[in-house]
Amino acid sequence: MTQRDPVKALFVRRDEEWKANVRRRHWFRPWRARRVIAEHDRLREMMEEMAEAKRERSRLIAAGVLEGSGERRAE
């Protein structure tokens, strides 16, 4: 049997509650609710991609493939 991560389950539940709330607030304009939810999902995907890129960059720096932290130096 697979075990679910309780934190991920909480995030999924909160996300569904948020979407239901948006649909309830915009019940007379369902097209607006769909647009708000789609934008929210798009932003969440972008944030996940950025976090993955940061993890990969950190891994490469730790492996010695990339150098430095990428911060600008005062010259």
Side-chain angles (χ1 to χ4, degrees), residues 9-26:
L10 174 66
F11 287 160
V12 169
R13 188 172 66 243
R14 295 284 184 200
D15 195 45
E16 289 302 318
E17 290 171 359
W18 179 84
K19 288 178 181 181
N21 188 25
V22 168
R23 289 185 190 104
R24 192 171 32 257
R25 279 186 287 148
H26 298 292

Side-chain angles (χ1 to χ4, degrees), residues 16-54:
E16 289 302 318
E17 290 171 359
W18 179 84
K19 288 178 181 181
N21 188 25
V22 168
R23 289 185 190 104
R24 192 171 32 257
R25 279 186 287 148
H26 298 292
W27 69 272
F28 55 94
R29 292 188 182 122
W31 56 269
R32 182 174 288 175
R34 286 191 300 270
R35 189 173 66 194
V36 168
I37 290 170
E39 183 68 15
H40 177 263
D41 291 342
R42 190 180 68 79
L43 290 172
R44 183 171 295 236
E45 288 174 12
M46 287 175 48
M47 289 173 55
E48 289 174 2
E49 289 173 0
M50 185 63 72
E52 179 63 32
K54 286 181 180 181

Side-chain angles (χ1 to χ4, degrees), residues 1 7 13-14 18 24 27 30 34 43 53 55-56 59 61 63 68-69 71-72:
M1 181 165 28
V7 175
R13 188 172 66 243
R14 295 284 184 200
W18 179 84
R24 192 171 32 257
W27 69 272
R34 286 191 300 270
L43 290 172
R55 282 191 296 272
E56 179 65 15
R59 186 188 68 77
I61 288 173
S69 63
E71 296 177 0
R72 294 184 179 186

